[in-house]
C-alpha cells in the first residue's frame, strides 16, 4: 500500500478553454457578452471595503430577500450560494442519499457525473432520442433522485411546464432538481409548480443572463423542507459562503429588472441572426432557448471547424464525447463577434469546398 492508492481517482469537469492571450473571441463558456447591470457595478465600486473585516451575512439574507421578492416567494424558499455549481453540489449531498441510482439524461450538464463520482452517489443516465429530446416516460422508474436541466445544455432545447409536471408526477418519492441556468433566454420556469410539489428544487445562476460569471453567484428555490436541508448541508461544510461584495452586487443586479430585460433582448436578437446565418450555410441546429446554439454540419467535421476557428482566434466549444462529437456549442456573443464568426465559417467552407 502506498499513499498514492488513497489519492482520489476522478475525472474532473473540464471547463471551456481560457487561452493565455487577450485578443480573441470567446464563445466557449456561455458567458454574456454584455457587462453586468450598471447598478451592480456601482455597488461594487461603492462598497465600503472596511466592512470586509466582518464576516458576511451567513445566509446571504439581503440577497435571499431580493431574490424571493422578485420570484414571488418567501425567503425560506430561497438558498443562495457561490454559483450554481456550488448550490448543485450542496443539493446532491443534501438530497441524494439513497441506494437507488439518481437519473438524468445522457446528454446534459456534464458536472452531474463528476459530483456523483466524488460523492459516491449511484447514477444511471437515460439516453435522449436522436433529436436530443427527453421523454418524461423514461423517468417513471425507481430512482434516488432526478436532475433535469431545462432548457437543457448543451442541446439548447427548452421544454414546457407539462414536461416538468409529467416528471414530477411520476416521481413523488424523489427530489427532482430542475437546473434553470438558461431559462431567462426564452425557457419556461417551473417556479409556478413549487406550490404544488414539495419535492421540486429549481436552481438559477447569475453567470449567464446576469453577466456575472466571475462573481460566482447562484441560488436554489424550493419548499421549506428541501431548502432547509441545503442550509444544513452548507452549515456542515462552510457557514459563510457568499462574500459581502458579491451579496451587494447580487442584490443590485436583481433589483435592476429593466437592464436585465434589455440585455436578454439583445442576446435573443443576436441568437436569431446567428441561427439564420448558420442555417443558410447548411448547419443543422435546433431552435435555441438559451444563449448558445448547438450546431452540426452534414459535410464538415465539427472538430475540424473547431480547430480552424482557433486559428482565427475564435473559441467555441467542442465535446469529444459519444453522440455529440460532431456538434459545436457556440455562445451567442455581440453582433460584431457574430459577424466575425460567420465570416470565418464562410472562409473555411470556401477553403474546403
Ligand atoms: C453554467 C451552468 C451552470 C453553472 O453556473 P455557475 O457559473 O456555477 O453559476 C449550471 N448548470 C448549467 C447547465 C450551466 O450551463
Amino acid at each position: 500500500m502506498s499513499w498514492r492508492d488513497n489519492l482520489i481517482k476522478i475525472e474532473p469537469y473540464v471547463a471551456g478553454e481560457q487561452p493565455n492571450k487577450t485578443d480573441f473571441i470567446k464563445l466557449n463558456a456561455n458567458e454574456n457578452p454584455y457587462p453586468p447591470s450598471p447598478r451592480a457595478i456601482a455597488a461594487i465600486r461603492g462598497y465600503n471595503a472596511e466592512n470586509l473585516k466582518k464576516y458576511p451575512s451567513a445566509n446571504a439574507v439581503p440577497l435571499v430577500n431580493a431574490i424571493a421578492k422578485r420570484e414571488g416567494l418567501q425567503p425560506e424558499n430561497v438558498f443562495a450560494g457561490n454559483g450554481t455549481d456550488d448550490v448543485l453540489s450542496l443539493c446532491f449531498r443534501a438530497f441524494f442519499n439513497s441506494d437507488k441510482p439518481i437519473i438524468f439524461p445522457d446528454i446534459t450538464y456534464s458536472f452531474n457525473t463528476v459530483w456523483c463520482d466524488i460523492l459516491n452517489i449511484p447514477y444511471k443516465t437515460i439516453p435522449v432520442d436522436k433529436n436530443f429530446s427527453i421523454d418524461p416516460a423514461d423517468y417513471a422508474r425507481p430512482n434516488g433522485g432526478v436532475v433535469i436541466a431545462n432548457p437543457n445544455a448543451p442541446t439548447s432545447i427548452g421544454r414546457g411546464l407539462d414536461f416538468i409536471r409529467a416528471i414530477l408526477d411520476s416521481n413523488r418519492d424523489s427530489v427532482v432538481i430542475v437546473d434553470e441556468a438558461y431559462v431567462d433566454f426564452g425557457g419556461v420556469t417551473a417556479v409556478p409548480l413549487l406550490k404544488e410539489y414539495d419535492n421540486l428544487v429549481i436552481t438559477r445562476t447569475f453567470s449567464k443572463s446576469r453577466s456575472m460569471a466571475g462573481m460566482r453567484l447562484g441560488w436554489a428555490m424550493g419548499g421549506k423542507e428541501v431548502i432547509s436541508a441545503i442550509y444544513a448541508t452548507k452549515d456542515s461544510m462552510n457557514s459563510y459562503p457568499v462574500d459581502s461584495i458579491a451579496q451587494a452586487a447580487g442584490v443590485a443586479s436583481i433589483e435592476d429588472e429593466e437592464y436585465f430585460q434589455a440585455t436578454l433582448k439583445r442576446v435573443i436578437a443576436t441568437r436569431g441572426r446567428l441561427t439564420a446565418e448558420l442555417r443558410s450555410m447548411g448547419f443543422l441546429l435546433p431552435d435555441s432557448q438559451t444563449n448558445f446554439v448547438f450546431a452540426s454540419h452534414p459535410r464538415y467535421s465539427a472538430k475540424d471547424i473547431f480547430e480552424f476557428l482557433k486559428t482565427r482566434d475564435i473559441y467555441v466549444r467542442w465535446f469529444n464525447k459519444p453522440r455529440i462529437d460532431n456538434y459545436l456549442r457556440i455562445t451567442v456573443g455581440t453582433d460584431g463577434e457574430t459577424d466575425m464568426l460567420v465570416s470565418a465559417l464562410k472562409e473555411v467552407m470556401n477553403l474546403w469546398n
Side-chain angles (χ1 to χ4, degrees), residues 29-30 82-86 88 109 115 149 151-153 179 181-182 203-208 213 216-218 292 329:
N30 298 342
N82 287 320
T84 305
D85 289 342
D86 173 48
L88 280 171
Y109 193 38
W115 286 313
N152 197 12
D179 177 353
Y182 297 102
T203 60
R204 298 265 186 91
T205 179
F206 281 71
S207 299
K208 279 76 184 227
R216 311 308 304 129
L217 280 174
F292 60 87
R329 192 196 70 186

Side-chain angles (χ1 to χ4, degrees), residues 328-344:
L328 296 172
R329 192 196 70 186
I330 306 172
T331 305
V332 178
T334 61
D335 280 314
E337 288 170 331
T338 302
D339 291 341
M340 287 200 263
L341 169 73
V342 167
S343 66

Side-chain angles (χ1 to χ4, degrees), residues 65-122:
N65 288 346
I67 292 168
K69 184 168 169 222
R70 178 181 188 266
E71 301 295 336
L73 300 170
Q74 295 303 311
E76 68 191 27
N77 302 120
V78 177
F79 174 90
N82 287 320
T84 305
D85 289 342
D86 173 48
V87 174
L88 280 171
S89 81
L90 292 170
C91 287
F92 273 50
R93 279 171 223 252
F95 308 140
F96 300 153
N97 297 296
S98 165
D99 297 332
K100 290 184 215 148
I102 72 162
I103 54 177
F104 47 86
D106 63 337
I107 298 175
T108 191
Y109 193 38
S110 49
F111 232 130
N112 288 352
T113 51
V114 178
W115 286 313
C116 287
D117 287 341
I118 199 160
L119 299 169
N120 288 312
I121 297 168

Side-chain angles (χ1 to χ4, degrees), residues 21 23-24 49 57 69-70 82 87 117 119 121 132 134 138 157 162 280 287 351 353:
K21 51 187 171 189
D23 197 18
F24 64 99
S57 165
K69 184 168 169 222
R70 178 181 188 266
N82 287 320
V87 174
D117 287 341
L119 299 169
I121 297 168
F132 302 133
I134 300 168
D138 289 342
I157 300 168
D162 290 352
S280 77
D287 286 330
L351 216 61
N353 246 331

Side-chain angles (χ1 to χ4, degrees), residues 264-274 332 335:
L264 291 175
K265 235 170 119 177
R266 290 175 82 178
V267 172
I268 291 168
T270 309
R271 177 181 73 198
R273 217 161 63 73
L274 173 63
V332 178
D335 280 314

